[in-house]
Amino acid sequence: MSGNEHGHAHGQGGGQHGEHGGAHAHAHAAGAPQTEISELKVDGMTCASCAASVTRVLRAQPGVRDAQVDFLMGRAKVEIDPAKVDPQALAKAVDAIGYHAQVKVAQVRAAAPQGGHAAHAASASGDMHAGHGGAGHVHHPGAPTRIEELDEWTRKEMRSIRWKLTLAVLLCVPLIWIAMTSHSMMGGAGASGADHAARPDMKEMHRGSAQLLSLMLQLALATPIVLWCGASIFRVAWKGLLQRTANMDSLVALGVGAAYGWSVFVVATELLPRMGASTLPPVYFEAAGVVITLMLVGRWIEMRATMRTRDAVRGLAALQPPMARVRRGGADVDVPMEQVVHGDLVVVRPGDRVPVDGTVEDGTSEVDQSMLTGESVPVTKRAGDAIMAGTLNTSGAIVFRASKVGADTVLQQIVRMVQDAQSDRAPVARLADTVSAWFTLMVLGASVLTFVLWVVFGAAAFPDAASPRSEALMMAFTSAIAVLIIACPCALGLATPTAIMVATGVAARRGILVKGGAALEALAKADTVVLDKTGTITAGKPAVVGLHPAAGVTEERLLAVAAAAERSSEHPLGEAIVRAATERGVALPAVADFRSTAGGGVEVRIDGQAVRVGTPEFAYGAAVPADVVQLLASEREQARTAVVATSGGAPLGVISIADALLPDAREAVAALRSMGISVAMASGDAQRVAERIAAEVGIDRVHAGMLPGDKAKVVSELRAQGRQVAMVGDGVNDAPALASANVGIAVGGGADIAADAAELVLMQPGVMRVAEAVHVARATMRTVRQNLWWAFGYNIIGIPLAAGILWPWFHWNPGPMVAAVSMSFSSVAVVTNSLRLRSTARR
């Protein structure tokens, strides 16, 4: 439903004005045509039908190659030829059909080859007011975010609707009562029945007076409802007509206008000149009033529901605190978050949220990252550790140096990805888009056909009427109006974007970032998942996986001595031993005389004894005992690295180190297989190592010794077999394979969340998040299909019913009022069904 009037032009756009020249970045690629991506903020859109109208207008402008409009986030992305069209002209074209547009961002990119990725050039950004050339002012700290702007506009619009709805209801109740009981006013009030029988002319006079009173009261009650409460509907419809576009408002305005206009015509031409007439054509004041009232009810409910679909973006944006405590000049001062600059020392107290990204310099604390990464437990942060905006400091105070501020923080990148995901059109929505583009014309045609058929053939449906042709004419009129009102292109347009926005929000809060509806659809269809090993199935760094102490030595003693010796070493294997001791809470003895031998190991003195940790030859300095040789051979068979420790030449034991499995790897592979998905592994490691890892997690298809190009070849071969492939990798060396798959899933740790080659990004390693992503994708597409079935089915059934197809058999026709209720219910049902994803998309 609905567009909105242009009167919200100033103050509700929410953007700041900027230099026109500053919003255009021109990149010149030799011989490549330039495409400028211009982004508009569009206010006044309240439904998908509004977005469809804006899309048609933008695509019709000279120099526009494509346009995608997102009414939920109030914006439009337009691909233009900068030599042929000015973005300001696009904003003015949108203004002309009753909405308000501001030019926000322009990006330049060279035209990409078919199937490739276009390279985006960095550009300046700023908001420019349509119609204001040259001078402007740029975005300033404290300016409202787009979500805040949209929420404020929606709340203001809902307040306006409540006032109009209150008046409409107060007027509609007596209007319906008068219309339904007007027959009682035809009696001869003020005269006895005998007088009436004696004087038929007096009876006719009283009847005419009653008709006049009834119609004049209906006119007085209906006029404010139609002309004031419904003014915005007629205004947007009129502007759309001038621009040769039509939407939901056009249909409602035509239906209500016809009912109200006809009724006024009856009053003007039939009643007033012939005050004593006893028979008048029917009027539809109550239908016009009730339809406008129900439209307002439906619009208010729909706006409230669509606001809830923005909860994901709103909740993520709210994670960033408005103020930050910064250490400047030796003092801690609170400043607006926008004033934090790169290199600032930021102080975060217990219970505070982190305002920007950075690196801890002082202090230790437990930080809850679950809102960004989905981790279930807080993470210990010490000096040197990275920290992200929006996370919650739960215990100690920490000081960190800001490294990313403003739009560069991980949190803001996540917010942008969730917003962009909603704008992306899933292939399943193309049918709905195609139908919606022609829907209004189809409905107008159906309405005209309904009228013609009833006029030509309708008399046969009223064989017992005094005037069958008059009855058929009335049925033709009411049925044609009902067809216009019951049709709902909004439900078709809402089917995909609402479901995608809710689902991407749910996924984002679980540490799964989705770049668009197409990615969700591709993942929902996936029947094969190819997993990289390092960083995906395994942790990507060495870890202690086994302790084999010598006779008379405990595991704790072996680990304590080895970790003490390795504490000053920078070797990855030594770091793994120290980390294992720390995790187990093992106390380390004091050491002296540390010495490192390249290719051998480390040597220290503990309690006066020479302790060596390293290769067998280095640790023993002589022949290695047979039992140790046998153990080392067994470890090599399992693709593990063995570190030997001795004290005074006597064996302490052997420590096994390997790239350890992630805790959820085995469970996740089982979950994927239970969904009917075939799981394979592609690794650059040796065959023996890859097979060991695959066996441990339950994967039976292994591709080892793979270079990046080889992984891409494996994916391409699987696709050639007709499989829908999802590739999971780290987003760097796996980029060719990620780009080759139907859907690429990059595993990041918060540092590489915008991997260009992938459509989904996992904020933390873990194959279980892949299974969760598949679950969310399938639930989303199931909801989209339900929405589309409802939208198509509603119109396929509703339009014939409104046309009166059941009248010849059941003498029932819904009429304009029932049609209005049904139309409002259709849109609300689609949005409500999408909101169910907030619970069904969770396992």
Side-chain angles (χ1 to χ4, degrees), residues 65-107:
R65 293 194 172 103
D66 191 22
Q68 297 292 337
V69 180
D70 171 13
F71 86 90
L72 288 171
M73 294 306 300
R75 63 181 182 170
K77 287 188 176 181
V78 192
E79 293 187 20
I80 64 174
D81 182 346
K84 295 181 181 179
V85 64
D86 183 350
Q88 295 289 358
L90 301 178
K92 291 179 180 179
V94 174
D95 284 352
I97 60 170
Y99 305 95
H100 175 59
Q102 290 178 291
V103 180
K104 182 182 179 184
V105 175
Q107 297 175 315

Side-chain angles (χ1 to χ4, degrees), residues 646-782:
T646 62
S647 177
L652 288 175
V654 176
I655 300 174
S656 300
I657 298 176
D659 187 2
L661 289 176
L662 290 173
D664 63 356
R666 179 183 293 275
E667 180 185 358
V669 170
L672 287 170
R673 296 180 70 170
S674 70
M675 296 179 185
I677 295 175
S678 173
V679 183
M681 186 176 75
S683 173
D685 278 340
Q687 185 76 29
R688 185 174 57 188
V689 177
E691 287 179 349
R692 176 182 67 83
I693 296 296
E696 288 186 26
V697 297
I699 297 175
D700 52 13
R701 297 175 59 188
V702 181
H703 304 274
M706 299 270 102
L707 296 175
D710 297 329
K711 294 181 182 180
K713 185 177 179 181
V714 168
V715 171
S716 298
E717 289 173 351
L718 288 170
R719 292 189 64 182
Q721 297 171 13
R723 293 183 174 273
Q724 299 291 314
V725 183
M727 174 67 197
V728 186
D730 62 13
V732 181
N733 61 331
D734 295 311
L738 291 170
S740 300
N742 295 92
V743 56
I745 304 175
V747 180
D752 186 25
I753 70 166
D756 290 335
E759 288 78 26
L760 282 85
V761 179
L762 309 182
M763 287 295 292
Q764 288 290 320
V767 189
M768 184 54 73
R769 283 186 173 83
V770 178
E772 291 175 358
V774 172
H775 175 73
V776 171
R778 290 183 175 181
T780 303
M781 299 319 299
R782 185 165 57 248

Side-chain angles (χ1 to χ4, degrees), residues 197-257:
R199 298 189 55 184
D201 57 330
M202 182 64 70
K203 178 179 180 181
E204 293 300 321
M205 184 178 296
H206 282 295
R207 182 171 300 179
S209 299
Q211 290 175 335
L212 173 61
L213 179 59
S214 173
L215 293 180
M216 294 305 293
L217 285 174
Q218 291 182 59
L219 175 63
L221 292 168
T223 298
I225 300 176
V226 174
L227 300 186
W228 185 70
C229 299
S232 61
I233 296 173
F234 290 97
R235 186 176 291 111
V236 173
W238 174 250
K239 289 188 176 183
L241 179 63
L242 295 179
Q243 296 294 321
R244 298 180 181 179
T245 65
N247 58 16
M248 190 64 218
D249 286 324
S250 304
L251 299 178
V252 174
L254 189 56
V256 172

Side-chain angles (χ1 to χ4, degrees), residues 569-600:
S569 172
E570 295 182 354
H571 195 283
L573 298 182
E575 292 178 354
I577 293 172
V578 174
R579 189 167 53 250
T582 302
E583 291 173 353
R584 297 191 185 195
V586 175
L588 305 186
V591 300
D593 302 332
F594 173 83
R595 187 174 65 205
S596 176
T597 302

Side-chain angles (χ1 to χ4, degrees), residues 1 87 107 178 189 235 332 443 485 689 746 754 804 835:
M1 293 181 292
Q107 297 175 315
I178 292 172
R235 186 176 291 111
D332 293 347
V443 172
I485 294 172
V689 177
L835 289 171

